[in-house]
Amino acid sequence: MSDPSGRPAAYVSRDLRLDAELHPGGSPRTPTIMLGRVQGDVDARSAADFRAWCAGAADPGPLVLDLSDVTFLGVAGLSALVDLAHDLRRRGVDWAVAAQARAVLRPLAVSGLPDLVPVHPTVRAAMDSLTGPRPESSAAGDPRG
């Protein structure tokens, strides 16, 4: 599930949109970061596609998942995040999640997953967690922070 550039192909369904873009990581240890943007509902209907797409986006890694535009995170979506966390840990891939919305944070908190899923309030904070702070003049900045 990738386009000719090697990044994961965009996925669009009635309830979910997934796309990715490569960002400079800014360090020798992390030269690039795949930023995956998720929009819509991650539920029983979309979780299998979400899981497969995320696995491709994290190859070879690292990965930041921007869940800022997720409107619903159901049990199947939580399960997909748990599977992703275990898979990435097994493969030694660093990752982080950006989310501020209650629709994402509440299910994560209630399920006890914040210890397993590294959540940050902004895309910038999630990227910085993988590479360390970048100068403000970076061309790879994200308008969401």
Side-chain angles (χ1 to χ4, degrees), residues 7 13 21 23-25 33 50 53 76-77 109-110 114 125:
R7 74 178 197 193
S13 72
E21 56 192 52
H23 283 258
I33 297 173
F50 172 74
W53 185 87
V110 169

Side-chain angles (χ1 to χ4, degrees), residues 24-65:
S27 76
R29 182 173 87 65
T30 311
T32 59
I33 297 173
M34 186 64 70
L35 172 61
R37 296 194 189 276
V38 184
Q39 299 172 315
D41 297 344
V42 185
D43 57 15
R45 186 174 24 221
S46 63
D49 292 325
F50 172 74
R51 179 182 284 115
W53 185 87
C54 288
D59 189 22
L63 171 68
V64 169
L65 278 181

Side-chain angles (χ1 to χ4, degrees), residues 82-138:
V82 168
D83 290 347
L84 179 64
H86 289 303
D87 178 53
L88 296 179
R89 179 178 292 157
R90 180 184 54 75
R91 291 171 30 203
V93 175
D94 292 331
W95 76 303
V97 169
Q100 287 186 340
R102 181 175 169 83
V104 173
L105 297 179
R106 182 73 177 141
L108 285 171
V110 169
S111 62
L113 293 180
D115 293 338
L116 185 63
V117 178
V119 179
H120 301 274
T122 64
V123 168
R124 170 63 55 90
M127 286 190 172
D128 288 349
S129 76
L130 300 177
T131 64
R134 291 188 312 261
E136 285 299 317
S137 62
S138 172

